[in-house]
Amino acid sequence: MIDEHQLKLTNYLAAFIEELVGNGVDEVVISPGSRSTPLALLFAHHPGVKTYINVDERSAAFFALGIAKARNKPVAILCSSGTAGANYYPAVIEARYAKVPLIVLTADRPHELREVGAPQAINQIDLYGKHVKWSIDMALPESIPSMIQYARSSAVRGVAISTGNPEGPVHYNFPFREPLIPDLQKVEFAGDQKGKRVLQGDRQLSPDFQHELQETIEKSNHAIIVCGSGLCEDAVQSIVDFAEENALPIIADPLSFVRSGHHSKDTVIDCYDTFLRIEDLQESLHPDLVIRFGAMPVSKALMLFLKGLPDIPTWIVSKGEEWQDPTARGTDYIHCDESLFCKSLMKHTSQKTLSWLNHWQDVNNRTKNLLINGHQAWDEGAAVHQLIQHLPEGSTMFSSNSMPIRDLDTYFFTNERSLRIFANRGANGIDGVVSTALGMSTKSQSMYLLIGDLAFFHDLNGLLTARKYQLDMTIVVMNNNGGGIFSYLPQAVDQTHFEDLFGTPMDLEFAHAAKLYGAHYFHVTSQQEFIPALQEAEHSKGIKIIEVMTNREENVANHRKLWNFVSREMKQNMKGEHHDSSSE
């Protein structure tokens, strides 16, 4: 006798999953639970789906986020009912602001068991609020043709919304009645059958807008380009070509993919975070037009520089309608594919003089030499500089927020290697960093994570996935015993409660954590120990943890000493040049 309930459950969910897979959602991270059983079993049963199991929902969601970042494709996450879905929240928020496509699937109690005191039941309707692009409380499973079409249409609709510009997470809440076991013997996934599809196109400017913007560029003598994260390879090449044709400096964030690669770096400026701190220099660098691609860069010095400019045209170019203008200086918000934007404005460009670009290049090169030659002490900055130099060709580096990304901003200089730098800069948090990097490691041949001790402690659970799936990644932990970035902020002036509230020393070393998760471990206290540790880690498989012991107070003092040195030397150069020009 056919079990009617089981038939409905099986056909309905198989149709939903088939449409997800047909539209590119072929990886799912599952956090086991009872109520999510039917979806979990059917995902595992689908021959075209790669499944990962992660018992910690918070870690699981960030792990999926990392896979989606690496593949630039939507990834699904699945959990049971109750607070399980609440543990997805930090990663969902990051996905929303970082524009990463996540398909969030939460199982739920049926309607008659909601708000009646049933176990593992919370209000899951619109659980993520405005942090998802779309959410739906799915209907209970049925197998009549109209409901099968509903399941298919809901699946493809969610993928379309998730991958549409700007990309982001969507949420499906699935209520299930018991029994929860589908009939896997009755499932035949079609595989090559054509279902519903989502075809996304690129946006481009109308000829009238092209002409208007072209005229502005022609009249400009001191334009600059600012590049942040979120750019694809085609966009980078087009922006570089556009900059070279118009002799424009590109202020390139370390996450923009502009500082490294095989494209030309002649117009790329990489030391602006240091020299834009020098007030005496700023006026000579004031642009008359700003063209920004991607998210706002990491550098606070750049942010303040842009915010302090007099009213000038500021174009913010993006594929979608997201609002990315923290300086509130934008004058034109241009929704267009970045590559098409550059190509459309390169058709009728007149020859530009090189003096403006040469000035930026000269300031940048002098600053770079001073940074390299002026940093004598062994500290986090020196360690990051050496780490970058020793990254193998084709490596991917994931950076934690706070001090690691800022040291990368300072020391990741332009180079010809194929190196890619990523970070969770959507919400700029330190949660889930280990798991996100491990997710990326599933698609990267040579994966590195640069992280501080607080962020590492915050997501140690992520290492369980690394052991389970034998992932390969080198983790460099800068252990300064606390939150190093707070030492640069005004809170550090009054030391009365600083250590307890902001320094937060944990007095931890991670050798025991490495042993717990089966990782190779290196304890580093000097420059002489660091390079051999990197070299040994490069030739070892699995998870490698290089714990670099540093001193917070010394780091702060060394950074400020270096900034002061660069500022002093640059001012001396400016005075010398002024004297020479006056004597002529």
Side-chain angles (χ1 to χ4, degrees):
M1 182 177 176
I2 298 175
D3 185 323
E4 196 69 28
H5 169 79
Q6 192 177 42
L7 185 66
K8 293 176 182 178
L9 189 70
T10 304
N11 292 344
Y12 178 83
L13 295 181
F16 176 82
I17 289 174
E18 195 165 51
E19 288 298 337
L20 286 186
V21 177
N23 282 277
V25 186
D26 54 8
E27 293 190 79
V28 57
V29 183
I30 301 171
S31 296
S34 175
R35 190 61 52 170
S36 56
T37 294
L39 276 170
L41 285 174
L42 285 164
F43 270 123
H45 192 64
H46 196 296
V49 174
K50 169 73 173 176
T51 59
Y52 295 91
I53 310 302
N54 191 327
V55 297
D56 182 334
E57 287 87 4
R58 187 178 74 169
S59 172
F62 277 107
F63 184 74
L65 184 86
I67 299 173
K69 275 177 173 277
R71 294 191 66 193
N72 197 27
K73 287 180 63 175
V75 173
I77 51 178
L78 170 64
C79 71
S80 190
S81 62
T83 58
N87 286 301
Y88 282 166
Y89 218 134
V92 169
I93 292 172
E94 176 62 29
R96 183 69 180 93
Y97 288 99
K99 297 182 284 296
V100 177
L102 273 189
I103 309 298
V104 183
L105 309 170
T106 57
D108 199 357
R109 299 279 173 155
H111 300 76
E112 68 271 16
L113 292 180
R114 295 176 179 176
E115 306 295 339
V116 295
Q120 280 191 279
I122 67 171
N123 186 348
Q124 296 178 200
I125 310 302
D126 293 326
L127 180 61
Y128 307 107
K130 293 183 178 180
H131 293 110
V132 291
K133 294 182 67 180
W134 179 66
S135 66
I136 181 172
D137 187 33
M138 292 290 286
L140 284 159
E142 292 285 351
S143 60
I144 59 175
S146 62
M147 290 303 289
I148 296 299
Q149 286 302 315
Y150 162 79
R152 291 185 180 278
S153 293
S154 297
V156 74
R157 180 181 181 185
V159 176
I161 294 171
S162 182
T163 57
N165 289 316
E167 295 179 316
V170 296
H171 174 217
Y172 295 89
N173 190 59
F174 275 93
F176 296 132
R177 290 194 179 106
E178 295 180 346
L180 300 167
I181 309 299
D183 187 349
L184 300 183
Q185 302 303 315
K186 294 289 195 313
V187 178
E188 291 186 11
F189 290 110
D192 59 352
Q193 177 182 332
K194 275 202 169 185
K196 302 174 187 294
R197 292 192 301 166
V198 181
L199 304 175
Q200 305 280 8
D202 291 326
R203 303 180 68 170
Q204 50 188 313
L205 292 173
S206 69
D208 288 344
F209 284 144
Q210 289 179 28
H211 181 70
E212 177 189 334
L213 297 177
Q214 185 66 56
E215 282 190 337
T216 303
I217 292 174
E218 293 285 352
K219 293 174 183 176
S220 165
N221 294 312
H222 297 128
I224 61 172
I225 294 173
V226 178
C227 287
S229 62
L231 301 177
C232 66
E233 190 174 323
D234 287 344
V236 169
Q237 185 61 60
S238 296
I239 292 168
V240 168
D241 292 342
F242 176 68
E244 290 192 336
E245 180 165 311
N246 290 280
L248 304 179
I250 303 175
I251 299 175
D253 184 79
L255 304 175
S256 65
F257 304 150
V258 177
R259 293 192 192 182
S260 63
H262 301 305
H263 54 270
S264 170
K265 315 294 183 314
D266 290 346
T267 62
V268 178
I269 307 299
D270 53 8
C271 292
Y272 55 85
D273 182 66
T274 298
F275 67 71
L276 286 179
R277 299 170 188 268
I278 305 171
E279 290 186 8
D280 293 4
L281 262 178
Q282 290 182 9
E283 188 174 348
S284 70
L285 300 170
H286 275 192
D288 58 12
L289 171 65
V290 175
I291 308 173
R292 207 188 87 215
F293 300 93
M296 183 54 114
V298 170
S299 170
K300 187 174 182 179
L302 173 61
M303 167 86 83
L304 294 174
F305 174 73
L306 295 175
K307 200 170 184 177
L309 292 175
D311 291 334
I312 59 168
T314 299
W315 301 350
I316 299 174
V317 185
S318 66
K319 293 179 182 177
E321 292 80 7
E322 74 275 18
W323 203 257
Q324 296 191 113
D325 187 17
T327 64
R329 291 293 186 183
T331 57
D332 297 86
Y333 303 90
I334 303 168
H335 298 150
C336 179
D337 177 82
E338 297 95 345
S339 184
L340 293 176
F341 171 89
C342 292
K343 290 174 181 176
S344 68
L345 297 183
M346 286 174 61
K347 297 173 183 175
H348 307 290
T349 308
S350 62
Q351 189 65 36
K352 293 280 187 176
T353 60
L354 296 175
S355 57
W356 171 244
L357 174 61
N358 289 342
H359 177 54
W360 275 87
Q361 291 170 325
D362 181 54
V363 171
N364 191 69
N365 291 334
R366 291 188 189 188
T367 303
K368 189 179 300 185
N369 289 330
L370 292 170
L371 282 172
I372 295 172
N373 298 320
H375 199 150
Q376 305 298 328
W378 164 253
D379 61 7
E380 292 177 19
V384 169
H385 188 205
Q386 291 182 349
L387 170 62
I388 294 166
Q389 290 179 310
H390 284 81
L391 289 177
E393 170 66 19
S395 294
T396 299
M397 164 87 80
F398 198 90
S399 174
S400 183
N401 287 307
S402 297
M403 284 310 298
I405 189 64
R406 285 165 175 81
D407 280 330
L408 270 176
D409 198 4
T410 300
Y411 292 104
F412 185 56
F413 302 132
T414 54
N415 60 83
E416 299 306 309
R417 292 180 293 163
S418 295
L419 303 177
R420 303 182 70 190
I421 310 294
F422 291 87
N424 282 343
R425 291 300 291 177
N428 298 359
I430 64 166
D431 43 357
V433 174
V434 175
S435 296
T436 309
L438 287 170
M440 296 203 72
S441 77
T442 64
K443 310 301 172 190
S444 303
Q445 294 298 315
S446 179
M447 187 75 202
Y448 286 75
L449 168 61
L450 176 64
I451 192 169
D453 53 307
L454 280 182
F456 190 50
F457 168 76
H458 209 277
D459 194 26
L460 275 177
N461 282 2
L463 293 176
L464 183 62
T465 306
R467 190 180 71 174
K468 180 177 177 65
Y469 293 102
Q470 299 181 321
L471 301 178
D472 187 14
M473 184 168 76
T474 299
I475 303 173
V476 179
V477 183
M478 296 295 176
N479 191 344
N480 57 27
N481 198 26
I485 195 167
F486 289 103
S487 298
Y488 295 85
L489 302 179
Q491 293 93 315
V493 175
D494 186 351
Q495 291 286 315
T496 308
H497 301 289
F498 178 78
E499 279 297 283
D500 283 344
L501 294 176
F502 304 104
T504 58
M506 297 184 298
D507 300 311
L508 292 177
E509 293 185 14
F510 294 101
H512 295 295
K515 188 173 183 180
L516 175 65
Y517 293 106
H520 303 280
Y521 176 77
F522 307 86
H523 187 267
V524 170
T525 59
S526 67
Q527 180 174 350
Q528 289 70 31
E529 296 172 338
F530 187 48
I531 302 303
L534 285 172
Q535 292 171 337
E536 187 174 342
E538 183 183 344
H539 295 99
S540 302
K541 290 295 183 183
I543 296 300
K544 291 84 66 173
I545 299 173
I546 302 175
E547 185 172 12
V548 181
M549 310 305 294
T550 64
N551 182 284
R552 258 189 292 140
E553 289 74 19
E554 290 179 5
N555 275 320
V556 175
N558 290 341
H559 276 77
R560 286 180 173 153
K561 188 184 298 182
L562 182 61
W563 288 330
N564 290 335
F565 167 73
V566 172
S567 177
R568 187 172 60 250
E569 291 297 311
M570 292 295 285
K571 288 177 182 177
Q572 283 294 115
N573 287 333
M574 290 166 63
K575 287 180 181 177
E577 289 172 355
H578 180 70
H579 177 75
D580 291 343
S581 61
S582 298
S583 61
E584 290 175 3

